[in-house]
Amino acid sequence: MKVWPFIGKCLRLAVEPIRRHWVFFLFMYVLGLACAWIELHPWEKVYGNLYLELFFDLYLVCLLLMLLPRRVGKWVRRVLTVLFYAVSMADVYCFVKYGSVLNPSMLMLVGETNAREAGEFLGSLLNADVLFSKFGWVTLIMVVHIVVSVLSGWLRKKQGAVRESGPQRFGRQMGSWLSAKGAASSLVGAVVVALLVWSAIASWPNKAALWRLMTLDTIGQVEHELTRSDCGRQYEPPYRLAFSVRANQLASQQIDRLIMASDKAQVDSCSFTTPNIVLIIGESFGRHHSQQYGYFMPTTPRQSARERTGLLVKYTDVVAPWNLTSFVFKNVFSMHVVGQQGEWCDYRLFPELFRKAGYHVTFLTNQFLPQAKEAVYDFSGGFFLNNPTLSKALFDVRNEKLHVFDKDLIDDYEQLKQHNGKHNLTIFHLLGQHMNYRVRCPNKQKKFQASDYEERRPELSLKQRKILADYDNATLYNDSVVDQIVRRFEDQDAVVIYMPDHGEECYEGNRGFICRNHSAAIDYDLARFEFEIPFWIYCSHPFAVAHPELYKQIVQAKNRRLMTDALPHMLLYLAGIHCKDYQPAYNVLCDEYDEMRPRILKNTTDYDRVMSEKRDEQ
């Protein structure tokens, strides 16, 4: 066998998948590029491997179509064409309408849509404002694709005509050019093979990362995977749809387990020891930016003032189990603690136990409400709270709207408190110091400026000092919101517990970055700045008078080690709820409290061991 003719034949064969389906390949490639460029925010850049990876993906699709029987392949190609256009149109519509591409939350909302709402959605696609927006480009590509496909099919039937038209001649020449024998066709084949090899090598890391993402076992693992710098890029609408389906499937599995656990929830008795219990969950607040814990800026003047009265009891050694909000919420709401058998979703959720005991439960959140533009992190943290069955079991009332500033959450409470009963559990979930810090505080309440840090933080640039000022202003605003909440309960027989979900870094020490580092390895600095949190219990004067022993227990426990995954056990104790879910070994106020229980961060690292090793080094 002659070598060069054989190589030439192989090269021509490499072109065959594209030749047979050239209209499909061409328009799907144009559609993919259009979606990628349309769905860019001003601050974003197009995916770096877009052109090569899209070529690689479409070549593989055409190759699979070629391997099918011709008649079957034709119908599969038509189905794929309809599917790709439908998904792309939905994706671009969501971007134009909501500023977000397809995501798990959006798919969850679609699942809850009724027939009337679906009809209204389809009707909105015909709206002139939508058709003449960026969405119109996808429609235009689809229309041209249909015209070219119809003409191509019609012209093939007219092959016997005496005189060819221009479009007919173009269609015939396109196919014959790609399949012609000789040096030209071999050259085309060589180009295709080169592109295929290049695109395969360039696309392999992302394909491996996508496979890793799509084969994880829990929604929590998915969220943590998304924090990796090498996480798989869902660079086209079909990938985003597949990921959204998978995320909802994983969430549904945990929902089923939670509902199963919920069905077994029982309360033996309740003494209603504390008639009003308030839990305030903050956001992204490390204790190293709290004036109460020695920070050089007056970021918590109101909390500090209440601490001086003796009614606000500051706890000195508290850490969060995770530095991700969703993981913290799962740990804090579940009666499961780190180290126990099973997972968080195999245990009861504490608000349901309060409801079964006879407490009226109110939930006010400024993050976890289902919305189209919700990030996967909020989806992961709130999916179980927003499930209709579980929400009904957990809460009597809850707010229905998110706000720019947390102060408006208090207005929601004022509207809902008319439903309060004799015994109440109220949960506030604030936006706190969540990124972007600059927009977490109203301009008229900003106090700190970049110039205030020139002396104490001279190593920071002007831009960095501005960001630091923004974070401290957000902390100061948070102080005012928390104080407003406390004021509403200071004349009642009540306790108010404040805890942020996790810490936050804002140019701590010489680390030089903000937000959080999601490294799997937790060193001393990471443990300090991202897991150590402020924590306090405010006891109203009526409470302190009515429950002197309990108030004494709260004060005596202030220096005990605590990780917030055990918080529900303390809450049940404050309420006087007796049930098999309650374990005194996890209640920081109880004499049986196991203070030496290992505080395992992210299920991997013993916080106290890290601290001890650092002290030994010094």
Side-chain angles (χ1 to χ4, degrees):
M1 182 173 59
K2 295 182 179 180
V3 176
W4 289 112
F6 175 74
I7 293 176
K9 186 175 181 180
C10 291
L11 291 175
R12 289 192 295 274
L13 187 61
V15 185
E16 192 66 11
I18 299 177
R19 186 195 70 80
R20 286 197 188 180
H21 307 284
W22 71 270
V23 175
F24 172 82
F25 183 93
L26 174 64
F27 281 94
M28 290 302 100
Y29 194 83
V30 171
L31 177 66
L33 295 184
C35 289
W37 281 101
I38 288 171
E39 297 170 338
L40 277 181
H41 291 288
W43 59 86
E44 293 179 321
K45 294 182 179 180
V46 73
Y47 174 48
N49 198 44
L50 169 65
Y51 303 98
L52 286 174
E53 193 160 349
L54 185 57
F55 174 88
F56 178 74
D57 288 348
L58 288 173
Y59 185 91
L60 289 183
V61 172
C62 291
L63 178 62
L64 292 173
L65 290 174
M66 189 186 77
L67 296 176
L68 294 172
R70 188 175 294 269
R71 187 179 296 272
V72 175
K74 183 197 302 185
W75 282 103
V76 172
R77 185 185 67 210
R78 290 173 179 173
V79 171
L80 288 177
T81 300
V82 172
L83 178 63
F84 288 164
Y85 273 113
V87 175
S88 298
M89 292 175 78
D91 200 59
V92 173
Y93 176 84
C94 290
F95 182 83
V96 170
K97 188 75 173 178
Y98 306 110
S100 173
V101 294
L102 283 173
N103 58 51
S105 296
M106 211 169 288
L107 194 64
M108 181 177 66
L109 292 172
V110 170
E112 299 171 359
T113 301
N114 56 38
R116 179 181 62 83
E117 292 168 333
E120 291 175 353
F121 166 76
L122 293 175
S124 69
L125 293 180
L126 302 177
N127 187 293
D129 291 338
V130 174
L131 290 175
F132 287 98
S133 67
K134 292 180 179 180
F135 178 86
W137 285 106
V138 179
T139 307
L140 179 62
I141 294 169
M142 181 179 67
V143 170
V144 175
H145 187 172
I146 293 172
V147 171
V148 171
S149 296
V150 171
L151 279 176
S152 179
W154 178 75
L155 292 173
R156 277 196 301 270
K157 295 179 181 179
K158 298 292 184 178
Q159 287 294 328
V162 176
R163 189 173 183 179
E164 292 182 332
S165 64
Q168 180 184 358
R169 187 164 54 255
F170 172 78
R172 181 178 60 78
Q173 290 177 349
M174 184 69 173
S176 61
W177 178 71
L178 287 173
S179 62
K181 297 180 180 180
S185 62
S186 297
L187 179 61
V188 173
V191 171
V192 170
V193 170
L195 282 173
L196 186 60
V197 173
W198 185 14
S199 63
I201 294 173
S203 303
W204 171 250
N206 192 50
K207 290 292 183 279
L210 282 171
W211 176 260
R212 186 173 64 238
L213 176 67
M214 296 295 289
T215 54
L216 294 170
D217 296 325
T218 69
I219 189 63
Q221 291 175 351
V222 167
E223 182 195 358
H224 198 258
E225 174 70 17
L226 292 174
T227 65
R228 293 177 51 155
S229 59
D230 61 344
C231 177
R233 287 288 299 269
Q234 306 145 40
Y235 77 102
E236 287 291 344
Y239 285 111
R240 291 192 279 272
L241 176 63
F243 170 72
S244 299
V245 170
R246 178 60 176 164
N248 274 270
Q249 180 188 36
L250 294 176
S252 178
Q253 292 173 3
Q254 294 193 333
I255 288 292
D256 291 342
R257 291 160 68 180
L258 284 167
I259 292 175
M260 188 179 300
S262 173
D263 292 339
K264 300 176 182 178
Q266 292 182 348
V267 170
D268 299 326
S269 64
C270 180
S271 60
F272 301 102
T273 306
T274 308
N276 295 285
I277 298 176
V278 183
L279 173 62
I280 307 173
I281 304 177
E283 170 68 50
S284 302
F285 184 13
R287 73 179 184 214
H288 304 282
H289 279 262
S290 170
Q291 175 188 357
Q292 282 183 284
Y293 290 83
Y295 186 53
F296 63 86
M297 283 295 193
T299 54
T300 58
R302 300 168 187 84
Q303 294 168 67
S304 298
R306 289 189 181 276
E307 182 185 353
R308 289 193 290 270
T309 69
L311 295 176
L312 188 152
V313 182
K314 177 185 70 180
Y315 281 57
T316 61
D317 192 0
V318 182
V319 297
W322 283 83
N323 58 350
L324 281 169
T325 303
S326 59
F327 278 84
V328 172
F329 257 71
K330 292 165 187 173
N331 279 273
V332 167
F333 271 71
S334 173
M335 295 303 298
H336 173 269
V337 300
V338 175
Q340 283 184 310
Q341 291 183 342
E343 294 186 67
W344 71 276
C345 53
D346 297 320
Y347 290 69
R348 261 66 67 186
L349 304 178
F350 80 83
E352 181 180 20
L353 296 174
F354 270 81
R355 286 202 68 214
K356 284 186 176 292
Y359 273 81
H360 179 275
V361 181
T362 301
F363 181 54
L364 301 130
T365 177
N366 209 14
Q367 289 190 57
F368 290 163
L369 287 178
Q371 53 174 334
K373 200 177 178 180
E374 187 175 54
V376 69
Y377 313 106
D378 291 333
F379 169 80
S380 178
F383 73 88
F384 67 99
L385 301 174
N386 294 323
N387 175 265
T389 300
L390 287 174
S391 181
K392 186 176 180 181
L394 295 171
F395 313 120
D396 290 284
V397 294
R398 55 185 299 175
N399 64 312
E400 299 178 348
K401 184 179 179 182
L402 299 177
H403 307 285
V404 175
F405 299 114
D406 285 331
K407 169 63 172 63
D408 295 324
L409 210 61
I410 301 176
D411 297 333
D412 288 344
Y413 170 74
E414 292 294 334
Q415 296 175 10
L416 292 175
K417 72 177 183 180
Q418 59 180 315
H419 301 292
N420 282 1
K422 187 177 180 181
H423 311 104
N424 303 286
L425 169 67
T426 307
I427 304 171
F428 288 88
H429 175 210
L430 308 179
L431 197 54
Q433 292 93 302
H434 196 292
M435 285 277 287
N436 180 350
Y437 314 136
R438 182 177 57 83
V439 297
R440 295 291 165 251
C441 175
N443 288 331
K444 63 181 180 180
Q445 290 187 240
K446 291 182 177 180
K447 175 181 178 180
F448 306 117
Q449 300 176 8
S451 58
D452 297 329
Y453 300 85
E454 289 180 356
E455 183 176 346
R456 296 297 295 264
R457 301 299 305 272
E459 77 281 8
L460 299 181
S461 67
L462 177 61
K463 181 180 178 180
Q464 289 174 327
R465 291 198 296 271
K466 285 181 178 179
I467 293 174
L468 182 55
D470 288 335
Y471 183 80
D472 286 349
N473 279 319
T475 304
L476 181 61
Y477 176 69
N478 180 74
D479 179 69
S480 69
V481 172
V482 169
D483 188 68
Q484 288 284 336
I485 295 173
V486 172
R487 287 187 183 190
R488 281 155 176 77
F489 298 92
E490 60 187 358
D491 295 327
Q492 304 178 38
D493 188 351
V495 295
V496 181
I497 300 100
Y498 176 75
M499 54 155 278
D501 51 0
H502 50 70
E504 182 87 346
E505 298 210 41
C506 192
Y507 304 118
E508 310 307 325
N510 58 0
R511 288 166 68 80
F513 70 91
I514 61 174
C515 198
R516 275 156 284 136
N517 179 354
H518 297 291
S519 168
I522 302 176
D523 58 14
Y524 172 76
D525 285 335
L526 187 61
R528 281 185 66 212
F529 298 128
E530 299 189 17
F531 292 87
E532 293 181 355
I533 57 173
F535 182 99
W536 49 255
I537 301 176
Y538 170 81
C539 305
S540 70
H541 186 265
F543 172 88
V545 172
H547 314 282
E549 286 301 317
L550 188 51
Y551 171 65
K552 182 179 178 182
Q553 289 177 323
I554 291 172
V555 173
Q556 290 178 337
K558 66 180 182 179
N559 294 319
R560 286 179 173 174
R561 296 177 176 180
L562 174 63
M563 188 161 74
T564 53
D565 63 324
L567 180 69
H569 296 271
M570 184 190 79
L571 295 176
L572 264 61
Y573 178 74
L574 289 171
I577 296 175
H578 300 277
C579 61
K580 65 178 182 180
D581 299 277
Y582 168 74
Q583 299 293 327
Y586 304 132
N587 171 22
V588 70
L589 305 181
C590 185
D591 290 337
E592 293 92 338
Y593 177 61
D594 181 11
E595 188 176 359
M596 302 310 293
R597 176 177 73 96
R599 294 186 285 181
I600 307 299
L601 310 181
K602 296 176 68 171
N603 283 332
T604 61
T605 305
D606 188 324
Y607 167 81
D608 295 292
R609 180 175 296 177
V610 171
M611 295 296 112
S612 177
E613 290 174 352
K614 185 66 174 181
R615 285 193 295 269
D616 292 342
E617 290 178 7
Q618 297 174 343

